[in-house]
C-alpha cells in the first residue's frame, strides 16, 4: 500500500484540548518537516521509544518536551499522524 507524502514544509495542528505550560497557552502547534538529523538527535538523546517520540515531536514543533507531555492523547495522536503523513506512511495509531 502506498501513502501520499505530505509535501508541505510545515503543518498547523489545532489542539482540541489546549494546554498551559510555564504560563504560556498553546492552542495550536506548527510542525515542520522532519530531517534525518532530527531522528538521529532523538535516538541519541533518549533510550525509550515513547521518550524518543516526545523528543522528536517537541523538536519538530519547536517547543519544550514538557508541552508535548501535557497534551491530551487525542492531540498527541494528531501530531503523530501528521509526522507519519510527512514521512508518507500511514499512522500506526
Amino acid at each position: 500500500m502506498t501513502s501520499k507524502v505530505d509535501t508541505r514544509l510545515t503543518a498547523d495542528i489545532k489542539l482540541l484540548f489546549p494546554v498551559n505550560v510555564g504560563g504560556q497557552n498553546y492552542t495550536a502547534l506548527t510542525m515542520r518537516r522532519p530531517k534525518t538529523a532530527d531522528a538521529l538527535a532523538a535516538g541519541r538523546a533518549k533510550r525509550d521509544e515513547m521518550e524518543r517520540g516526545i523528543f522528536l515531536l517537541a523538536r519538530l514543533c519547536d517547543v519544550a518536551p514538557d508541552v508535548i507531555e501535557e497534551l491530551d492523547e487525542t492531540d498527541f495522536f494528531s501530531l503523530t499522524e501528521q509526522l507519519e503523513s510527512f514521512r508518507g506512511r500511514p499512522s500506526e495509531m
Side-chain angles (χ1 to χ4, degrees):
M1 177 167 115
T2 315
S3 293
K4 187 174 179 182
V5 175
D6 184 339
T7 59
R8 296 177 293 168
L9 297 179
T10 62
D12 294 322
I13 297 97
K14 184 176 191 262
L15 302 179
L16 294 176
F17 301 93
V19 295
N20 183 300
V21 179
Q24 181 164 349
N25 289 317
Y26 295 89
T27 58
L29 294 173
T30 299
M31 181 185 293
R32 66 173 172 79
R33 294 189 57 74
K35 298 180 180 183
T36 303
D38 297 313
L40 287 171
R44 285 187 204 114
K46 304 295 177 187
R47 285 173 260 197
D48 153 304
E49 184 178 347
M50 185 69 163
E51 287 180 339
R52 279 193 303 271
I54 290 169
F55 180 91
L56 181 59
L57 291 173
R59 185 172 164 125
L60 297 177
C61 293
D62 196 27
V63 295
D66 292 353
V67 174
I68 304 301
E69 291 173 4
E70 287 299 316
L71 294 178
D72 183 272
E73 281 197 347
T74 301
D75 292 321
F76 179 80
F77 291 140
S78 293
L79 291 178
T80 302
E81 287 175 350
Q82 181 57 55
L83 175 59
E84 294 307 316
S85 180
F86 278 147
R87 290 174 168 165
R89 297 191 303 220
S91 177
E92 296 176 13
M93 299 188 181

